[in-house]
C-alpha cells in the first residue's frame, strides 16, 4: 500500500465513523454517509478502491437498514398505541435531546412523544405508553443502523486492503 492509499483509507474511515455516529444521533445520515464515502473512495482510487460487488452489497445494506429503521419506529410506536403525533414527537425530542448529551439522546424521544400525544388530548398514561413504544422503536432502528454501519465499514476496509495488496506494481 502506498502512503496515498493509507491516507485515503484513513480519511474514508474517519468520515464513515461520523456516519456510524449518525446511527445514534438524529440529523446525521448513517448508512447513506458510509455508502457515499465508499463510492467517493472508489471514484478517487479506481482499481484499488472497493470493488463493484462490494459497492452493491453496501447499497443493499444501506437500503435494508433504512427500511428496518423506518419499520421499527412505526412498529414500536403503533404496538404501544402511538399516533403519528407520538412518532413526530419522538423525532423532535431526539433532535432536541442531542444538545443534552446521553441523557437527552435517551430521554428526548420519550419526552417528545409524550408531550405531542398529550397535546393531542391523550391522557398521561396513554401518552406514556405511546412514548415508550416510539422510543423503543427508534432505539431498535438505531441498533440496526449501527450494525449496518459496522458491517459496511468492515467489508469496505477488508476489500480495499485486499485490492491494494494484490495490485500489480507499475
Amino acid at each position: 500500500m502506498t502512503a496515498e492509499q493509507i491516507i485515503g483509507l484513513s480519511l474514508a474511515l474517519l468520515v464513515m465513523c461520523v456516519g456510524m455516529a449518525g446511527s445514534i444521533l438524529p440529523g446525521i445520515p448513517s448508512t447513506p454517509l458510509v455508502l457515499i464515502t465508499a463510492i467517493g473512495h472508489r471514484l478517487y482510487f479506481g482499481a484499488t478502491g472497493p470493488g463493484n460487488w462490494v459497492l452493491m452489497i453496501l447499497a443493499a445494506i444501506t437500503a435494508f437498514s433504512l427500511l428496518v429503521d423506518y419499520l421499527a419506529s412505526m412498529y414500536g410506536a403503533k404496538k404501544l398505541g402511538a399516533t403519528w403525533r407520538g412518532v413526530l414527537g419522538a423525532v423532535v425530542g431526539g433532535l432536541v435531546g442531542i444538545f443534552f448529551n446521553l441523557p437527552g439522546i435517551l430521554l428526548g424521544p420519550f419526552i417528545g412523544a409524550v408531550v405531542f400525544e398529550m397535546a393531542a388530548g391523550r391522557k398521561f398514561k396513554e401518552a406514556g405508553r405511546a412514548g415508550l413504544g416510539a422510543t423503543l422503536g427508534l432505539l431498535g432502528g438505531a441498533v440496526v443502523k449501527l450494525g449496518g454501519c459496522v458491517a459496511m465499514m468492515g467489508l469496505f476496509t477488508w476489500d480495499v486492503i485486499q485490492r491494494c495488496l494484490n495490485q500489480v506494481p507499475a
Side-chain angles (χ1 to χ4, degrees):
M1 286 183 84
T2 66
E4 181 183 23
Q5 291 168 334
I6 293 170
I7 292 169
L9 178 59
S10 299
L11 289 174
L13 288 173
L14 183 65
V15 173
M16 288 179 176
C17 283
V18 172
M20 190 166 54
S23 300
I24 299 165
L25 301 173
I28 301 173
S30 57
T31 51
L33 184 57
V34 174
L35 176 62
I36 290 168
T37 303
I39 292 169
H41 188 276
R42 170 62 185 267
L43 291 173
Y44 184 83
F45 286 100
T48 57
N52 289 336
W53 67 274
V54 168
L55 291 176
M56 287 188 286
I57 292 171
L58 296 182
I61 292 172
T62 298
F64 176 76
S65 72
L66 293 175
L67 178 66
V68 169
D69 179 42
Y70 175 74
L71 293 177
S73 298
M74 296 304 294
Y75 179 76
K78 292 295 179 187
K79 189 72 175 171
L80 293 179
T83 64
W84 66 270
R85 288 176 186 87
V87 175
L88 178 63
V91 171
V92 170
L95 289 172
V96 171
I98 60 175
F99 297 107
F100 299 99
N101 294 322
L102 188 59
I105 293 170
L106 296 175
L107 293 175
F110 175 78
I111 293 170
V114 170
V115 168
F116 275 55
E117 288 286 353
M118 289 181 71
R122 296 187 79 183
K123 293 184 177 167
F124 180 74
K125 187 174 181 176
E126 293 173 326
R129 281 181 47 91
L132 179 63
T135 302
L136 290 176
L138 286 173
L139 290 176
V143 168
V144 170
K145 287 190 299 185
L146 184 62
C149 285
V150 169
M152 291 170 74
M153 290 171 66
L155 180 60
F156 168 80
T157 303
W158 175 81
D159 190 48
V160 168
I161 291 173
Q162 291 298 314
R163 292 169 71 85
C164 288
L165 294 176
N166 293 327
Q167 76 181 4
V168 178

